Amino acid sequence: MIRRTMIAAAAASALALVAGCSLSGGSGSSSSSGNSPQSTDHSVTLVTHDSFVVKQEVIDEFQRSSGIKVTVLKSGDAGALTNKLVLTKGNPIGDAAYGVDSTFASRALGEGVFQEYQSPEGDKGPQRYAADGSHKLSAVDVGDVCVNVDTGWFAAKNLPEPKTYQDLADPKYRDLLVVEDPATSSPGLAFLFGSIGKLGESGWTDYWTKLKANGVKVVSGWEEAYNQDFSGSAGKGPRPIVVSYASSPAAEIGQDGTPRTKALLDTCYRQVEYAGVLSGAKHVDDAKKVVDFLLSEKFQAQVADQMYVYPAREGVALPEAWTKAAPLPKDSAALPADKIQANREHWVQQWRTLVQG
């Protein structure tokens, strides 16, 4: 799934919103707008991926100040969430959605899932990550996908750590890498896109052929790759190289204050998570306020601790440990949304043919 064992630890220390959980707020008033009939009650169903976590006091304060009752409906990972939003666009299951990421945003936009809304909070930083020029999605956070390595494993074996995509195909790293299936995993898809962005459409297929010959292991999702196969996690698996996130080393800091793992910043692909108001929403005005809330300084200030992602808003401080263990990559690869939309399924099918036969 799109997130991380670290969220489980965060959720244990904060009361997370759960699927279908209704959080009562006060009363309020708002005017009707948009093309859909507006309900007179002030409530919003926010459809999210399964990794959505927020401090209870933060959501409580928003509900008190806005008079809006928020219900969170968790709907799988980013891919499953996008699919559900597309399939229900004629009769939307909520008013706003959070968690469609940059690997799936073009599909959601192409299917007309979201309506236009330009949040006044967008010019505080989120707009620099805009999916396109339609103002239908607002960036909430950044969670770059990068190869991670178990630094202790390499030190013990007296083997230099890999640094680049090309290094991973070197025979000295045979049978050391585990990746996620891009057909079933958001980070797996991001890693595929990263290899295409770095090596080009004429080079990525040869690269994956070499990875296959070099013993790459493919699993269905991040949870299995990181917690079962990766040696640098609590699971202590057999493989010291894994596709994970730039932020993952922040959860692997030892008692001496040193991270046990490292993200290879030359292998990162920029993954942005978005929020927007759903087309056909029953509570359009209140849904807009929820999007504003997700971009607000108070919400943004807790996304690193709660969801192990980087805030999209500028000027929001990261936890102190992240400065050393998990700095935000500066030069992550990214592909244009229209290119992804035109080629996603073709690339995944090519990958399947090359790697899975």
Side-chain angles (χ1 to χ4, degrees):
M1 188 344 208
I2 190 174
R3 214 101 69 225
R4 317 159 186 150
T5 300
M6 305 75 114
I7 291 177
S13 61
L15 182 58
L17 301 179
V18 296
C21 176
S22 181
L23 300 164
S24 59
S27 61
S29 62
S30 73
S31 59
S32 296
S33 65
N35 298 321
S36 303
Q38 295 288 295
S39 174
T40 56
D41 68 302
H42 298 285
S43 62
V44 167
T45 297
L46 176 64
V47 190
T48 76
H49 57 47
D50 284 347
S51 294
F52 179 73
V53 183
V54 60
K55 289 181 180 178
Q56 189 67 41
E57 58 265 30
V58 173
I59 193 71
D60 285 347
E61 181 180 346
F62 169 73
Q63 292 184 123
R64 284 194 301 268
S65 64
S66 67
I68 298 170
K69 181 178 71 174
V70 178
T71 298
V72 173
L73 180 61
K74 294 188 177 182
S75 300
D77 67 7
L81 168 65
T82 304
N83 287 336
K84 187 171 290 187
L85 294 176
V86 169
L87 292 172
T88 60
K89 65 181 181 180
N91 185 24
I93 57 177
D95 303 291
Y98 157 75
V100 173
D101 67 31
S102 47
T103 59
F104 294 103
S106 58
R107 183 176 180 223
L109 292 170
E111 293 283 352
V113 167
F114 295 96
Q115 61 179 277
E116 184 173 342
Y117 175 57
Q118 188 170 4
S119 172
E121 301 293 331
D123 61 1
K124 306 298 194 302
Q127 192 56 42
R128 62 192 158 149
Y129 300 118
D132 64 5
S134 68
H135 303 299
K136 292 182 178 180
L137 288 173
S138 297
V140 175
D141 59 72
V142 179
D144 288 9
V145 171
C146 314
V147 173
N148 280 215
V149 297
D150 177 354
T151 54
W153 188 97
F154 283 97
K157 299 291 185 179
N158 197 28
L159 183 67
E161 299 164 4
K163 295 181 179 180
T164 66
Y165 283 98
Q166 290 86 345
D167 287 347
L168 301 176
D170 189 309
K172 66 172 165 279
Y173 302 114
R174 183 181 300 277
D175 297 331
L176 301 186
L177 170 65
V178 57
V179 305
E180 301 86 0
D181 187 334
T184 58
S185 164
S186 179
L189 187 58
F191 183 63
L192 173 60
F193 288 166
S195 68
I196 294 170
K198 182 69 87 172
L199 303 169
E201 291 190 63
S202 61
W204 76 268
T205 53
D206 286 343
Y207 174 69
W208 277 94
T209 299
K210 292 176 182 177
L211 283 184
K212 181 180 180 180
N214 210 37
V216 63
K217 182 176 181 179
V218 179
V219 298
S220 62
W222 179 88
E223 185 77 25
E224 181 179 356
Y226 196 87
N227 292 326
Q228 296 182 31
D229 286 293
F230 182 46
S231 63
S233 72
K236 298 299 180 186
R239 295 194 174 222
I241 312 173
V242 65
V243 171
S244 192
Y245 295 86
S247 57
S248 297
E252 305 294 352
I253 297 176
Q255 293 184 347
D256 61 356
T258 301
R260 297 181 294 267
T261 65
K262 180 171 69 176
L264 306 183
L265 300 186
D266 286 339
T267 66
C268 297
Y269 183 84
R270 177 122 298 167
Q271 192 173 51
V272 181
E273 292 183 328
Y274 297 98
V277 179
L278 293 172
S279 297
K282 294 180 180 178
H283 307 93
V284 174
D285 288 345
D286 290 339
K288 291 177 179 178
K289 292 177 183 178
V290 170
V291 172
D292 294 344
F293 163 65
L294 295 176
L295 273 59
S296 70
E297 188 169 3
K298 287 186 177 179
F299 182 86
Q300 292 279 302
Q302 50 94 63
V303 298
D305 277 334
Q306 298 301 303
M307 294 192 285
Y308 277 81
V309 288
Y310 304 88
R313 188 181 180 105
E314 291 180 313
V316 177
L318 291 172
E320 184 177 353
W322 287 44
T323 303
K324 179 179 180 180
L328 179 65
K330 295 180 179 179
D331 299 310
S332 291
L335 294 175
D338 57 349
K339 191 170 185 178
I340 292 174
Q341 178 67 2
N343 294 284
R344 182 195 300 106
E345 299 307 319
H346 174 62
W347 285 335
V348 171
Q349 187 55 53
Q350 280 186 288
W351 179 91
R352 281 175 166 164
T353 300
L354 285 168
V355 178
Q356 296 179 328

